Amino acid sequence: MPRRSVAGSIVSVLDVTDVVVEYRRPGRDPVRAVAGVSLSLDAARILGLVGETGCGKSSLARAAVGLVRPSAGSVRFNGELVTPLGRRTRPMRQTRLQMVFQDPFSSLNPRRKAGEQIADGLAISGKGSSGQRRVRVGDLLSQVGLPASAASRYPHEFSGGQRQRIAIARTLAAEPTVIVADEPLAALDASIKAQLANLMISLSRELGAGLLFISHDLAIVRHVADLVAVMYLGLVVEVAPTREMWAMPLHPYSEALIAAVPRLDRIRALPAALPGEVADPAHPPQGCRFHPRCPYVFDRCRIESPPLREVAPGRQVACWLQEQGRARALPRAQRPPA
Ligand code: SF4
């Protein structure tokens, strides 16, 4: 059940606070993949996390489920500190914090039947007899659109899309309160992507589970997410309700990402939409990390790093162009389209 505040409003099920993830490399400078990120996820809500490859999305996802220990900051699941995976003392209730990976083949055991792997999640909760678990495995397969006979097949006997369905069924077996999905559709064909995106939306709503949906594919995120957080070089630079961000992005990077989403009449990749490359995370630029690529850069940007702050109800942005409580359209958006 979603936790509720005293006033009755739904409170967050996953809280990421000032999280830093740093990787040490022998003889080289450490890489700060996540440089201090705070996010919260509510029950039955879908938060999309977007950004280019290497921006720190996957490191943040791994920290959120305890696969990586943050160098600083904290992650709380239902109010309780997340215990790193691998520790035998990880509380049973934290099994309700589940992750779906990009590559279902590597996340499934090739030598075990699909049904056995799904039943593992049920066994963790210790619920039901073995007969009841068999029936439940059939139910879960049906929920993800596979026949009950799939339980007796091995991972290599399925297509990529079917394997991802099995991975999702296994995740659902643990009755998750929060699902962190890291590029879950990246390896799939376009038609399967749409089907699985719809499946993830309906399962999140039915279960009341919060879903952190991580992707570099903005078209999918726009379809799936209630809220979007944009990451650039280890930091979140904008958070907004999905529709509002598409209607009026407040950060220049969000604006460039949205402009780069392929359309039938205009197919562009991000590097073509923005000058320059993403900087080395081991040596981020001084001031605003986006300033070497920003079309609106001015002197202050090169010196001071803008904090993420609320500029309108439900809208946070880290950019000196935006003033607290006074969100405004970016200058380029005010020009008529070319
Ligand atoms: Fe661009 Fe300056 Fe805003 Fe950074 S702070 S995004 S450089 S305008």
Side-chain angles (χ1 to χ4, degrees):
M1 287 286 291
R3 295 190 311 129
R4 288 178 182 272
S5 68
V6 178
S9 59
I10 292 175
V11 295
S12 56
V13 285
L14 187 71
D15 286 300
V16 171
T17 308
D18 297 328
V19 161
V20 173
V21 177
E22 197 168 80
Y23 299 110
R24 303 203 168 273
R25 308 176 295 174
R28 297 164 71 194
D29 292 332
V31 172
R32 198 166 258 217
V34 179
V37 166
S38 299
L39 285 174
S40 61
L41 175 65
D42 293 342
R45 300 282 279 172
I46 302 177
L47 172 62
L49 184 62
V50 301
E52 287 163 281
T53 302
C55 70
K57 308 185 294 291
S58 292
S59 294
L60 184 61
R62 286 171 175 270
V65 295
L67 281 172
V68 166
R69 183 191 292 276
S71 317
S74 64
V75 180
R76 288 182 182 271
F77 171 58
N78 281 329
E80 184 180 281
L81 271 178
V82 168
T83 312
L85 281 173
R87 279 202 177 182
R88 291 190 182 171
T89 52
R90 185 168 189 158
M92 185 66 75
R93 53 194 170 275
Q94 288 188 13
T95 59
R96 293 196 161 200
L97 171 58
Q98 288 284 318
M99 184 156 183
V100 176
F101 295 89
Q102 175 178 348
D103 180 2
F105 202 59
S106 63
S107 69
L108 294 171
N109 184 335
R111 287 189 286 278
R112 297 183 68 220
K113 292 176 181 168
E116 293 169 354
Q117 302 195 51
I118 296 169
D120 287 347
L122 299 171
I124 288 170
S125 66
K127 280 189 188 166
S129 63
S130 60
Q132 286 168 324
R133 284 181 204 157
R134 251 195 315 279
V135 172
R136 180 76 182 123
V137 166
D139 289 345
L140 288 165
L141 284 167
S142 150
Q143 256 182 297
V144 298
L146 289 173
S149 60
S152 57
R153 289 157 59 194
Y154 289 90
H156 72 268
E157 297 178 69
F158 298 97
S159 67
Q162 288 171 326
R163 279 196 289 270
Q164 195 58 292
R165 286 169 196 263
I166 291 165
I168 292 170
R170 189 182 55 179
T171 299
L172 297 181
E175 300 181 353
T177 312
V178 168
I179 303 170
V180 175
D182 186 11
E183 300 276 8
L185 313 178
L188 306 176
D189 294 341
S191 61
I192 307 293
K193 269 187 194 176
Q195 279 179 22
L196 278 184
N198 289 335
L199 175 68
M200 296 196 80
I201 295 171
S202 58
L203 290 175
S204 165
R205 305 281 189 246
E206 277 168 32
L207 292 168
L211 172 60
L212 179 59
F213 187 91
I214 297 162
S215 179
H216 67 277
D217 185 338
L218 260 78
I220 288 280
V221 170
R222 183 185 189 184
H223 177 66
V224 166
D226 304 304
L227 286 168
V228 181
V230 179
M231 265 189 97
Y232 185 79
L233 211 56
L235 291 172
V236 169
V237 296
E238 183 164 3
V239 183
T242 308
R243 275 193 201 170
E244 290 182 32
M245 189 181 296
W246 251 264
M248 191 174 90
L250 297 179
H251 194 281
Y253 182 58
S254 313
E255 180 184 60
L257 282 179
I258 289 169
V261 171
R263 299 182 192 163
L264 287 179
D265 61 336
R266 185 158 59 97
I267 297 182
R268 282 195 287 162
L270 189 63
L274 276 177
E277 301 280 328
V278 182
D280 177 0
H283 304 101
Q286 194 190 342
C288 172
R289 292 181 169 212
F290 187 59
H291 88 252
R293 303 174 79 191
C294 182
Y296 311 112
V297 61
F298 55 102
D299 289 348
R300 186 181 188 184
C301 310
R302 298 185 180 90
I303 301 161
E304 288 181 77
S305 175
L308 186 69
R309 53 192 179 160
E310 188 161 43
V311 295
R315 300 209 58 172
Q316 293 174 283
V317 65
C319 174
W320 293 126
L321 288 174
Q322 305 292 346
E323 290 173 48
Q324 200 139 12
R326 293 181 58 194
R328 58 184 185 144
L330 293 167
R332 191 189 289 177
Q334 292 166 357
R335 288 187 228 136

